[in-house]
Amino acid sequence: MRIILLGPPGSGKGTQAQLLVQRYGIVQLSTGEMLRAAVAAGTPVGLKAKEIMASGGLVPDEIVVGIISDRIDQPDARQGFILDGFPRTVPQAEALDELLKHKHMKLDAVIELRVNESALLSRVETRVAQMRERGEEVRVDDTPEVLTKRLASYRSQTEPLIHYYSERRKLSTIDGMMAIDEVTRAIHRQLLALGAVEPKSHGKSQASAAKLGPAKKGTKKAKAAKKAAKTAKKAAKSAKSAKKAVKGAKKAVKKSAKKTVKKTVKKASKKGSKKVTKKRAKR
Ligand code: AMP
């Protein structure tokens, strides 16, 4: 499965991407994350991106397209991927179309998370507070001033993608103001309707998925996710057989009830006729 998550900063793309990763066993490809890693590692790409990112601008298209193209070729992306934060401009979307065509890959869906702009600032503030609580380094671009700029660039450069994908019949819009698990469920329903996922791919509960976070192959998290999926499968199986058993029991009860009623009726009518015969004999 290959999907794109579209939405302004603070719309919950990252959170939903992580939950979908757990649910469907695909990878999250976040250009923001990759660029932050490049900045931290001081690579040539990182050096170019550092200032642009800190000011809330967009890194040149050729850089992010190159990063994504290389990442899609990695073995862990073979099962599918969620693009988070890419494409962000129409030229990037066109480049992605070309790239996928070249790699003989198909895009399943573009999910737009629609949110009230007024909620975005407080969401980002919450994210910053949570990161501080966990002792994580806070993003330099998560400040009210830079967020305003990131929002402006979303409106002018990224929002046209809504039209781009809707014209190509790829766009599904989800209300991003709902609770996290409701948004996940709505995305799942949409993917089901599009035939992008199997009906049985319910996976584990979102709560445990959220606890686990994204898992890398071979890690403890991945093993735990596998185990949880197995348990869920087993549970589903036993639930199915329990349902069958209940059905069977209901049938049996009905059958025996019918028999008892028949017997009682028979007995009653026998008794009745005996009484009548006795009465007649008395007379
Ligand atoms: P994000 O984590 O998606 O909010 O991205 C953080 C920053 O990385 C953005 O504000 C941009 O400066 C840069 N960035 C991430 N993805 C892209 C992209 N597809 N095109 C250009 N710049 C990007």
Side-chain angles (χ1 to χ4, degrees), residues 12-134:
K13 291 188 305 285
T15 306
Q16 290 304 326
Q18 285 187 10
L19 293 169
L20 297 170
V21 160
Q22 287 294 328
R23 195 166 198 165
Y24 306 121
I26 52 181
V27 289
Q28 171 191 7
L29 307 186
S30 154
T31 38
E33 288 289 330
M34 291 181 226
L35 288 168
R36 276 188 287 280
V39 171
T43 66
V45 164
L47 292 176
K48 270 189 210 161
K50 191 174 179 181
E51 292 305 314
I52 304 170
M53 289 173 76
S55 68
L58 287 187
V59 174
D61 289 344
E62 62 274 15
I63 292 184
V64 281
V65 172
I67 294 179
I68 282 291
S69 176
D70 291 346
R71 189 61 188 85
I72 287 176
D73 290 337
Q74 302 292 310
D76 64 345
R78 228 172 270 152
Q79 290 271 43
F81 48 78
I82 303 167
L83 294 175
D84 161 18
F86 179 90
R88 248 180 167 97
T89 64
V90 171
Q92 285 182 18
E94 287 166 347
L96 177 67
D97 282 347
E98 272 307 302
L99 209 141
L100 292 178
K101 201 167 132 194
H102 188 72
K103 296 182 199 287
H104 305 289
M105 289 176 177
K106 194 184 127 262
L107 190 64
D108 292 294
V110 178
I111 309 279
E112 182 211 353
L113 296 180
R114 195 164 281 184
V115 285
N116 294 342
E117 270 203 17
S118 54
L120 296 178
L121 187 60
S122 69
R123 278 190 176 198
V124 173
E125 278 169 356
T126 309
R127 173 162 82 199
V128 169
Q130 284 170 345
M131 286 176 88
R132 286 217 171 97
E133 236 178 68
R134 291 195 295 261

